[in-house]
Amino acid sequence: ANLQRLLFPLSTSVLLPYFDTSVILFCLFSQVVLKIIKHYQEEGQGSEVVQGVLLGLVVEDRLEITNCFPFPQHTEDDADFDEVQYQMEMMRSLRHVNIDHLHVGWYQSTYYGSFVSRALLDSQFSYQHAIEESVVLIYDPIKTAQGSLSLKAYRLTPKLMEICKEKDFTPEGLKKANIGFEHMFEEVPIVIRNSHLINSLMWELEEKSTVADKHELLNLSSSNHLEKSLQLLMDRVDDMSQDIVKYNTYSRNLSKQQQQKHQYLQRRQQENAQRQSRGEPPLPEEDITKMFKPPQPPPRMDTLLIAGQINNYCQNVKEFTSQNLGKLFMAEALQGHN
Amino acid sequence: MSRFFATGSDSESEESSSADEITPKAPGTTFKQSLLLSDDEEDTKRVVRSAKDKRFEELTNLIKTIRNAMKIRDMAKCLEEFEQLCRAFLKSKNIVDKEGVPPFYIRLLADLEDYLNQLWEDKEGKKKMNKNNAKALSTLRQKIRKYNRDYETEIAAYKEVNFGLSLVLCFKTYREYSQSKKLKHVYLTHTVSFQRAQESEKSEKRLAKKKKPKKKERLEEEAEEEGGEEVEGGWEKVKGGAPMVKMFAKGTEINVPVVVKKLNEILQARGKKGTDRAAQIELLHALANIAAENNLGQGIMVKIKFNIIASLYDYNPNLAAFMKPDMWKKCLDCIDELLDILFEHNNIFIGENIAEDSESLIISDQPFRVRGCILTLVERMDEEFTKIMQNTDPHSQEYVDNLKDEGRVCGIIDRLLNYMENKGSTEEICRIYLRRIMHTYYKFDYKAHRRSLGLQAESKSEQDQEESEGEDSAVIMDRLCKFIYAKDRTDRIRTCAILCHIYHHALHSRWYQARDLMLMSHLQDNIQHADPPVQILYNRTMVQLGICAFRQGMIKDAHNALLDIQSSGRAKELLGQGLLMRNMQERNAEQEKIEKRRQVPFHMHINLELLECVYLVSAMLLEIPYMAAHEFDARRRMISKQFHHQLRVGERQPLLGPPESMREHVVAASKAMKMGDWRTCHSFIINEKMNSKVWDLFPETQRVREMLVRLFLCLSSSMGTLSEMFELEIPTVHSIISKMIINEELMASLDQPTQTVVMHRTEPTSLQNMALQLAEKLGSLVENNERVFDLKQGVYGGYFNRDQKGGYQQKQSYNRGMFNHTVVVLWIQKKQLVQTHGDLPTPTYL
């Protein structure tokens, strides 16, 4: 029954101004959703992640995903397995049965909302670089298991695309690009579509179904979820701390060196002035950059990603807790009424 | 100048008469002769030489050696002597100022310079010189050049006159030398006979002959005259002040001005190198006696006494060295006498600010005015007493003997205090009050204690009776301190007074007064700016406060007060009760001396073992229940590191014998406590051995028991058993438990009908723990972030140009936004946790 609902993330209206591609809506066909869920149930366990390819079409201003197929789980044994080959094969076969074969993105399951990683960034970048409309679909099986389907589509923002193109992840580069963690990914609104036949089937099924499982409503999902999220959040916060410390040392070193350089230059200048007054030739110019090798700047992209991830976790926790709080208040009200 | 010309002509005349024998008494003796002989002459003749003669003789001797050295071309010697000469000349500066530069001196300077120039020109000779000499030559040449610049005019004049004679000079010196020897010989024989002749002569005649009839000379002359019979040549008489017993000529009318003059004379010698200090004291005493004999009045007596005391203090040249006890006792007597006089005669004004010439010492209707400050003297006396105590072996009989004098010191201070209260200014009163306080604060007032216990009487002797009638020390302290608080304007005296007051309160177990005073004074904040002695006093006070708190059963306060002192491991040093063994690099001899001077005398010491024991026991009473209560807490903190250290040391021992030392006792007791065996614990802490070592005054059993009840509530539940276990009344147990519940020390409720305590164990859930951890981590994260931000904003940020900085700030604010966000989320989530899990155990919902 949940599948019937249209999932419009609240943020759609907020995000709209940022969209500058032709695609503003992302239409998902229910069979794709089911396939993804099935894929995870069959193969994904725990923190393991499943991935697959989304196929579809760009229709007017929306991207329609009509089909998908999973990447096979490959183990150590078949190291010579050619993924690209497999994909090509799959797509060719699908075309033969007259299914949309345009490669418009990929999907990935997530473990408690942890998906913002370098790997994801890289592969999404290559997708988006090749096919402009491509998206990544993030499926959260745990939330889904709790009763609310969680599917989110993301794209890299043009800004991030530019940075990735230049591969300049130094602090200076990021500063110039003026990019924050909020501006890395844009969420694309999703609409799930069913064919009319399925819709009518649904209505029919709903009428037949009993109300037996309605009492689930007030179930406070175990604190396990919250705990896990917190654990992950904490790990990321640690990472973040480390990164900041690293950056701190870097900037301190840099400024120290800058000072040294400045002093050196001044001294040199004075010396030259003296020499000039004595009529001697000035000292030869030396390569200052050689004398003062600037310290290796720490890559900042990771930090940004971590910040994004933290943000994500926070959203999750917030959502989760607000739901639970709502339930609690509801229970209280019920009790008072009784 | 005129003298100088005379010299010139003298040398000429000498030239002419050098062949024949010169009689020393002949009038108009050439200067040279007088230069060489006059000292000898005068010495033999008059025995006592004037300062001028003494100095000039010194100079001439040096000049002689220089000339000799010149002759043998010993430049090194020359240089050395010349330096000495300069010094000697400088010493005789005031005489020179009076008399003008002596011509012989100028002559030497001129000659020496010429001579040196000559040598310098003589390149060959210079080459032949050995290295030492050559070096000395060049230094000397430079020196004399510089030196002579000051006497340019004189030398020029000399040269002018002596131009023709310069050639003969060389011989002349030589001849002079040999001549002087001869003369001296002749002279001695002559003078002896002369002396004899003198004896028969009238003294007036001789007096008339004196060139400079200085008063002192005359006096001594007279003294000599009287003692002259025994001492033949008079050579020996010069030393010491022994012959000065009779200080005034027989006929002199002894009156105040004469005595004052004499006194000044004696005092002028003070501080000079050659003065015999012991003799000076003698002299002053003698003078005092004379003054007393002649009834010159109290004014002069007071003045002399002042000076006697001052010179007694002067006896030791070094401030660091301590006075000899007998010296000090003498001084004590003097002060006593002085006080007697002051008390008897109300009309004597003394003060530092009375100028020397405005003194009035003559007996008249007007009150006496004498310069001098008795307060300073007494203070000094007290300091000397402390020094003596510091320097005496505290375990010797001598120390006890010395300590007995403390009573006298106190007596003097008391008397002075009375005196000052009538006459002194407020500042002086404050100072003397502080002295009094310093002598009172560390003494336990047994009388008052006994009185408060209601054990009046049973005094063994009358003296005791008398004593017990005196004012309570507490009352005295209170009165004195309050006066100081109100009137004192120097911060130091007030600080000391407060500390002493607190100490005294603490010593007498008036915990609340002591604590309040300590808190009110705000000394904790600024004590580190005080000088070391005050800091030591502060430390002592804190320690005493801690011990007091312990006696009162305020274990926590005791622990806190002692923590700072004990945790550093330098309690001994901090309390000024001895130096720690440290290697010499850290402290040189000078520092060590200073530190030694700061030490507190032994009788004021606080027992360090007691201190440590109190600390450890209070730590134990705090720590063991804490350990029990937080056994499962991963991040429990140590209350006392030292205590843990002791425990660990105890645990490391392979074999555990019965405890011997205080520490072992504490460790054993805490082990027993851990096991809940309060009786053993108690017996470990309070037993014979411990009694003999540290415990004498603390009735602490009750307290220990109570603490143990608290501990055991964590483990057991039945009140009946509890009361049985600790041998306490059920109501007591009940009250303790209720108190704990109210204070949220114990999550429990009392079940009245079954007489049980229902314990609610509410450990924080793992989720709650995690949330706390997360909060901590976020805190550190924010801190790190702030640091980055500071770096950008602060001093190092200069090289970023504007727009970049702006960009960065933007980013920063993003980051901050994110943190705020996280914190908000965290807050919500915590709230939720409370809502969700706080209510979980109660089955009311759902």
Side-chain angles (χ1 to χ4, degrees):
Chain A
N2 285 330
L3 296 186
Q4 259 186 337
R5 258 181 272 155
L6 292 179
L7 295 181
F8 270 102
L10 276 175
S11 49
T12 312
S13 54
V14 184
L15 288 171
L16 276 175
Y18 293 106
F19 298 153
D20 56 354
T21 50
S22 52
V23 181
I24 16 174
L25 215 59
F26 184 51
C27 289
L28 206 55
F29 280 81
S30 51
Q31 64 162 343
V32 177
V33 178
L34 288 173
K35 262 186 162 176
I36 292 172
I37 294 172
K38 196 173 157 222
H39 179 200
Y40 178 78
Q41 269 168 356
E42 277 170 357
E43 290 190 30
Q45 260 148 23
S47 56
E48 246 175 274
V49 164
V50 294
Q51 290 172 326
V53 176
L54 297 176
L55 300 172
L57 276 176
V58 181
V59 182
E60 288 162 8
D61 59 348
R62 41 199 170 125
L63 178 68
E64 290 191 349
I65 313 277
T66 48
N67 212 333
C68 69
F69 64 88
F71 287 142
Q73 211 77 353
H74 54 104
T75 47
E76 298 292 317
D77 303 333
D78 39 21
D80 53 345
F81 176 77
D82 191 350
E83 225 170 87
V84 182
Q85 186 65 32
Y86 173 78
Q87 280 185 34
M88 298 312 281
E89 279 295 316
M90 271 309 277
M91 268 144 78
R92 201 173 303 133
S93 314
L94 286 170
R95 194 167 51 186
H96 284 315
V97 289
N98 207 10
I99 287 173
D100 291 331
H101 57 270
L102 184 59
H103 196 161
V104 289
W106 57 300
Y107 68 87
Q108 191 194 338
S109 71
T110 173
Y111 178 66
Y112 290 109
S114 52
F115 61 89
V116 188
S117 67
R118 193 60 188 264
L120 181 113
L121 178 72
D122 285 347
S123 49
Q124 178 59 22
F125 170 68
S126 55
Y127 269 102
Q128 221 165 313
H129 196 53
I131 310 153
E132 214 207 336
E133 291 83 10
S134 44
V135 291
V136 56
L137 195 63
I138 303 293
Y139 162 64
D140 189 341
I142 293 158
K143 252 200 194 152
T144 311
Q146 281 166 4
S148 50
L149 177 65
S150 166
L151 269 175
K152 278 176 184 170
Y154 290 99
R155 289 169 54 80
L156 300 186
T157 55
K159 258 186 198 164
L160 192 63
M161 283 299 288
E162 265 166 46
I163 294 169
C164 288
K165 239 178 254 171
E166 282 162 24
K167 297 245 176 286
D168 178 17
F169 296 138
T170 58
E172 302 290 319
L174 291 184
K175 216 180 287 168
K176 215 186 287 165
N178 197 6
I179 192 160
F181 67 91
E182 292 118 319
H183 298 248
M184 293 172 70
F185 295 96
E186 55 186 3
E187 198 179 336
V188 187
I190 299 177
V191 178
I192 298 178
R193 279 253 184 104
N194 288 332
S195 67
H196 298 300
L197 271 176
I198 292 177
N199 272 342
S200 56
L201 178 66
M202 283 293 169
W203 287 117
E204 213 175 306
L205 282 176
E206 198 174 17
E207 268 174 20
K208 279 183 190 169
S209 70
T210 52
V211 264
D213 51 355
K214 283 274 158 118
H215 68 92
E216 288 271 312
L217 179 65
L218 284 182
N219 186 15
L220 291 173
S221 37
S222 69
S223 65
N224 202 25
H225 181 91
L226 205 52
E227 236 169 81
K228 275 270 159 48
S229 305
L230 267 186
Q231 189 68 53
L232 290 166
L233 176 59
M234 230 172 337
D235 290 348
R236 289 287 88 75
V237 168
D238 275 351
D239 290 348
M240 182 73 148
S241 268
Q242 267 174 16
D243 266 12
I244 286 182
V245 169
K246 247 187 247 165
Y247 181 69
N248 207 354
T249 4
Y250 159 72
S251 47
R252 212 175 310 142
N253 284 344
L254 191 68
S255 68
K256 212 186 285 170
Q257 206 180 43
Q258 213 77 10
Q259 241 172 357
Q260 277 175 352
K261 203 155 130 187
H262 190 65
Q263 271 176 0
Y264 173 79
L265 278 180
Q266 246 178 357
R267 218 180 309 131
R268 181 50 75 89
Q269 225 165 22
Q270 274 177 354
E271 221 169 292
N272 273 345
Q274 268 183 1
R275 277 169 157 267
Q276 218 159 29
S277 66
R278 275 180 294 176
E280 289 171 46
L283 290 170
E285 285 296 319
E286 283 167 47
D287 193 4
I288 285 180
T289 45
K290 240 182 216 170
M291 292 180 66
F292 297 100
K293 264 211 177 103
Q296 191 66 37
R300 293 295 286 161
M301 186 45 93
D302 290 345
T303 319
L304 275 183
L305 287 171
I306 291 170
Q309 182 64 69
I310 290 178
N311 189 29
N312 219 348
Y313 284 137
C314 289
Q315 301 278 12
N316 272 355
V317 170
K318 197 165 100 180
E319 240 170 67
F320 183 78
T321 48
S322 54
Q323 275 179 22
N324 276 2
L325 274 179
K327 283 179 195 170
L328 279 174
F329 282 126
M330 198 146 56
E332 198 174 23
L334 278 176
Q335 211 174 21
H337 186 70
N338 285 351
Chain B
M1 214 28 74
S2 63
R3 260 181 98 89
F4 187 70
F5 282 114
T7 321
S9 61
D10 278 353
S11 63
E12 258 174 312
S13 70
E14 188 256 350
E15 203 69 19
S16 59
S17 61
S18 57
D20 46 57
E21 207 68 70
I22 304 154
T23 49
K25 272 180 55 173
T29 340
T30 60
F31 184 80
K32 190 160 288 150
Q33 276 161 342
S34 77
L35 150 77
L36 288 168
L37 305 171
S38 61
D39 291 351
D40 292 353
E41 176 193 35
E42 276 168 19
D43 263 19
T44 39
K45 207 166 61 186
R46 294 194 267 134
V47 181
V48 178
R49 294 169 299 177
S50 72
K52 175 194 160 195
D53 295 338
K54 218 163 64 186
R55 292 281 174 228
F56 280 13
E57 190 196 28
E58 201 178 54
L59 289 181
T60 40
N61 281 341
L62 283 169
I63 288 171
K64 238 184 272 171
T65 17
I66 290 178
R67 288 202 191 271
N68 281 344
M70 271 158 73
K71 255 166 254 158
I72 57 168
R73 291 195 164 203
D74 186 352
M75 281 302 112
K77 171 98 177 159
C78 226
L79 176 63
E80 197 181 301
E81 291 296 322
F82 177 71
E83 272 164 358
Q84 264 185 36
L85 182 68
C86 292
R87 249 174 277 145
F89 188 71
L90 219 75
K91 244 193 247 166
S92 50
K93 182 130 190 1
N94 41 2
I95 295 164
V96 170
D97 286 346
K98 231 187 294 170
E99 311 267 323
V101 186
F104 57 86
Y105 191 71
I106 296 296
R107 193 163 58 212
L108 178 93
L109 290 181
D111 288 354
L112 194 60
E113 194 178 8
D114 287 346
Y115 174 72
L116 288 174
N117 283 340
Q118 221 175 345
L119 273 188
W120 191 254
E121 240 83 291
D122 182 12
K123 293 262 159 57
E124 293 253 308
K126 226 168 69 181
K127 265 179 206 158
K128 269 185 231 157
M129 262 188 226
N130 65 23
K131 213 174 160 193
N132 246 351
N133 262 352
K135 210 168 138 196
L137 172 65
S138 53
T139 0
L140 186 56
R141 189 162 155 269
Q142 278 174 354
K143 263 200 179 159
I144 196 138
R145 250 200 212 160
K146 218 190 269 170
Y147 195 80
N148 280 3
R149 229 168 273 154
D150 299 338
Y151 302 96
E152 238 162 343
T153 45
E154 282 97 329
I155 290 171
Y158 165 71
K159 278 189 176 161
E160 206 176 290
V161 174
N162 258 24
F163 186 66
L165 299 172
S166 54
L167 282 175
V168 265
L169 265 175
C170 252
F171 303 24
K172 211 172 59 188
T173 40
Y174 195 82
R175 217 169 33 193
E176 271 166 14
Y177 186 60
S178 54
Q179 196 185 39
S180 72
K181 265 189 178 166
K182 249 185 270 164
L183 280 177
K184 211 173 196 172
H185 185 69
V186 171
Y187 213 81
L188 271 175
T189 47
H190 179 89
T191 35
V192 171
S193 61
F194 175 68
Q195 186 87 22
R196 291 226 175 96
Q198 269 183 337
E199 277 161 29
S200 57
E201 271 172 5
K202 294 273 184 220
S203 58
E204 297 127 306
K205 259 194 185 171
R206 229 187 58 223
L207 280 173
K209 258 202 242 167
K210 290 285 165 234
K211 285 175 192 160
K212 290 159 269 168
K214 272 185 168 177
K215 183 175 180 258
K216 191 169 179 178
E217 276 168 28
R218 196 184 63 228
L219 281 171
E220 282 162 10
E221 220 39 75
E222 282 156 357
E224 184 214 313
E225 196 186 356
E226 272 123 17
E229 268 81 20
E230 301 100 68
V231 189
E232 186 79 346
W235 289 84
E236 293 89 344
K237 283 182 110 189
V238 200
K239 341 171 180 126
M244 296 176 73
V245 181
K246 291 178 184 163
M247 273 173 291
F248 301 101
K250 247 180 192 158
T252 327
E253 190 202 346
I254 295 173
N255 54 18
V256 173
V258 172
V259 173
V260 170
K261 214 168 180 186
K262 182 72 198 154
L263 182 67
N264 283 340
E265 246 166 57
I266 297 168
L267 288 183
Q268 254 156 26
R270 177 183 171 188
K272 280 185 189 149
K273 217 176 180 184
T275 348
D276 182 353
R277 290 182 290 267
Q280 248 206 331
I281 296 166
E282 288 290 306
L283 271 178
L284 286 170
H285 271 296
L287 198 62
N289 286 338
I290 291 172
E293 273 169 32
N294 291 290
N295 275 332
L296 288 186
Q298 299 306 330
I300 195 77
M301 277 311 280
V302 169
K303 189 161 174 63
I304 294 171
K305 285 273 182 222
F306 266 132
N307 285 311
I308 291 176
I309 296 165
S311 53
L312 275 171
Y313 289 144
D314 274 349
Y315 190 71
N316 264 4
N318 194 346
L319 194 70
F322 65 104
M323 277 171 100
K324 288 194 192 67
D326 46 336
M327 267 315 237
W328 180 78
K329 262 174 217 166
K330 243 189 240 167
C331 169
L332 215 58
D333 291 333
C334 271
I335 293 178
D336 241 349
E337 283 167 31
L338 185 57
L339 279 172
D340 281 337
I341 297 173
L342 289 179
F343 270 108
E344 276 169 36
H345 303 277
N346 237 347
N347 55 349
I348 302 176
F349 286 115
I350 52 172
E352 285 171 297
N353 39 7
I354 297 172
E356 196 90 21
D357 34 350
S358 70
E359 284 180 333
S360 64
L361 304 170
I362 304 161
I363 307 172
S364 62
D365 299 336
Q366 268 154 15
F368 296 109
R369 291 166 63 83
V370 184
R371 177 187 166 82
C373 179
I374 182 140
L375 182 59
T376 322
L377 292 179
V378 171
E379 276 179 346
R380 180 77 198 272
M381 182 269 300
D382 193 31
E383 271 157 31
E384 289 294 341
F385 176 68
T386 319
K387 260 191 236 169
I388 291 171
M389 294 318 275
Q390 278 169 358
N391 283 290
T392 323
D393 175 19
H395 303 292
S396 64
Q397 184 60 34
E398 200 189 344
Y399 192 88
V400 181
D401 291 340
N402 285 342
L403 195 53
K404 279 177 192 156
D405 289 331
E406 218 242 336
R408 284 189 66 192
V409 176
C410 290
I412 286 180
I413 289 176
D414 264 345
R415 289 181 65 186
L416 184 61
L417 196 142
N418 287 336
Y419 182 74
M420 284 296 175
E421 273 174 355
N422 293 331
K423 297 211 167 165
S425 67
T426 5
E427 273 160 65
E428 283 172 323
I429 295 178
C430 282
R431 270 162 70 189
I432 191 69
Y433 273 9
L434 183 66
R435 284 286 148 189
R436 179 81 176 81
I437 290 166
M438 286 299 216
H439 275 279
T440 319
Y441 78 96
Y442 62 91
K443 291 175 189 150
F444 190 77
D445 192 352
Y446 282 102
K447 301 170 280 165
H449 185 61
R450 222 177 299 142
R451 210 174 305 147
S452 68
L453 290 179
L455 299 176
Q456 182 67 30
E458 73 160 273
S459 50
K460 290 149 213 147
S461 65
E462 277 191 16
Q463 198 197 353
D464 262 11
Q465 194 100 44
E466 227 170 78
E467 264 182 20
S468 57
E469 274 159 20
E471 217 174 350
D472 267 5
S473 65
V475 182
I476 297 173
M477 286 294 284
D478 206 46
R479 184 168 57 82
L480 300 186
C481 288
K482 276 186 181 145
F483 183 82
I484 289 180
Y485 301 155
K487 295 281 164 62
D488 177 55
R489 260 168 290 161
T490 64
D491 219 23
R492 192 177 182 275
I493 291 182
R494 190 175 25 226
T495 312
C496 286
I498 291 173
L499 287 173
C500 292
H501 204 175
I502 297 168
Y503 189 102
H504 195 259
H505 276 316
L507 192 65
H508 294 84
S509 298
R510 292 188 290 271
W511 157 251
Y512 287 106
Q513 280 112 303
R515 188 198 58 186
D516 292 348
L517 201 54
M518 182 55 108
L519 293 179
M520 272 193 305
S521 65
H522 291 290
L523 278 173
Q524 291 101 318
D525 310 330
N526 49 22
I527 192 68
Q528 64 267 28
H529 304 304
D531 49 352
V534 180
Q535 282 187 13
I536 286 175
L537 185 60
Y538 173 79
N539 288 341
R540 282 165 59 80
T541 309
M542 279 314 279
V543 165
Q544 198 58 248
L545 206 58
I547 294 176
C548 170
F550 186 78
R551 272 196 300 255
Q552 301 292 311
M554 327 263 177
I555 302 298
K556 203 156 200 170
D557 293 310
H559 182 263
N560 287 343
L562 297 180
L563 182 64
D564 285 340
I565 300 284
Q566 277 291 330
S567 60
S568 64
R570 295 190 305 149
K572 203 171 166 194
E573 203 183 356
L574 290 176
L575 293 176
Q577 301 191 351
L579 303 176
L580 283 185
M581 286 301 168
R582 269 194 269 162
N583 44 4
M584 291 310 278
Q585 290 135 10
E586 279 181 56
R587 148 176 84 188
N588 51 28
E590 191 58 32
Q591 270 175 312
E592 190 167 332
K593 251 185 219 159
I594 296 173
E595 274 176 43
K596 258 196 186 137
R597 225 177 298 158
R598 284 189 205 134
Q599 298 304 308
V600 178
F602 184 72
H603 59 279
M604 291 158 76
H605 280 197
I606 297 167
N607 189 337
L608 288 176
E609 199 169 8
L610 169 78
L611 176 64
E612 194 179 350
C613 181
V614 166
Y615 173 72
L616 284 179
V617 170
S618 51
M620 174 185 89
L621 293 179
L622 288 178
E623 184 83 69
I624 302 278
Y626 183 83
M627 274 161 77
H630 297 259
E631 203 172 359
F632 306 105
D633 191 349
R635 298 173 302 118
R636 67 156 182 249
R637 291 196 188 87
M638 281 190 278
I639 294 179
S640 156
K641 262 197 183 131
Q642 258 207 329
F643 177 70
H644 274 273
H645 177 71
Q646 293 302 342
L647 271 188
R648 245 174 288 137
V649 168
E651 271 160 21
R652 230 179 286 147
Q653 227 104 59
L655 278 176
L656 267 183
E660 275 300 323
S661 73
M662 177 270 300
R663 285 180 194 161
E664 283 168 28
H665 269 102
V666 174
V667 171
S670 44
K671 271 194 185 149
M673 194 166 168
K674 244 188 201 163
M675 303 309 293
D677 192 353
W678 75 270
R679 229 172 308 224
T680 330
C681 171
H682 177 222
S683 68
F684 269 133
I685 292 204
I686 297 156
N687 58 14
E688 275 305 301
K689 259 184 215 158
M690 290 292 266
N691 267 347
S692 63
K693 278 198 181 103
V694 280
W695 262 192
D696 341 33
L697 1 141
F698 304 148
E700 273 308 297
T701 40
Q702 188 57 36
R703 202 63 212 168
V704 175
R705 236 186 265 175
E706 237 172 71
M707 290 310 291
L708 282 165
V709 172
R710 289 177 176 218
L711 163 62
F712 278 97
L713 280 172
C714 303
L715 307 169
S716 58
S717 59
S718 163
M719 248 205 284
T721 6
L722 270 181
S723 65
E724 215 172 274
M725 222 167 132
F726 295 109
E727 293 175 3
L728 289 175
E729 296 291 304
I730 286 187
T732 327
V733 175
H734 191 269
S735 75
I736 292 173
I737 293 172
S738 317
K739 213 161 135 195
M740 284 177 78
I741 292 172
I742 289 168
N743 289 341
E744 295 187 339
E745 283 176 55
L746 194 65
M747 300 291 191
S749 55
L750 280 171
D751 191 14
Q752 205 62 51
T754 52
Q755 293 255 309
T756 51
V757 185
V758 181
M759 308 282 292
H760 307 297
R761 189 193 170 93
T762 46
E763 291 284 315
T765 60
S766 60
L767 186 60
Q768 276 162 338
N769 263 340
M770 230 185 275
L772 289 175
Q773 268 179 45
L774 179 63
E776 232 164 75
K777 279 183 178 163
L778 283 177
S780 71
L781 180 60
V782 170
E783 206 172 280
N784 277 333
N785 206 37
E786 293 284 326
R787 219 171 283 154
V788 171
F789 194 58
D790 283 349
L791 204 64
K792 292 288 168 195
Q793 292 246 300
V795 258
Y796 303 105
Y799 65 91
F800 284 109
N801 57 37
R802 268 287 151 98
D803 48 350
Q804 269 174 334
K805 205 166 173 181
Y808 187 77
Q809 275 172 349
Q810 219 175 333
K811 189 178 151 205
Q812 278 286 342
S813 63
Y814 292 151
N815 277 357
R816 290 193 162 188
M818 197 271 288
F819 288 126
N820 285 344
H821 182 73
T822 321
V823 169
V824 168
V825 169
L826 202 75
W827 180 78
I828 292 172
Q829 170 210 327
K830 260 192 191 167
K831 193 169 146 194
Q832 193 259 342
L833 283 179
V834 173
Q835 292 266 347
T836 332
H837 305 285
D839 299 335
L840 268 185
T842 45
T844 41
Y845 285 175
L846 299 180

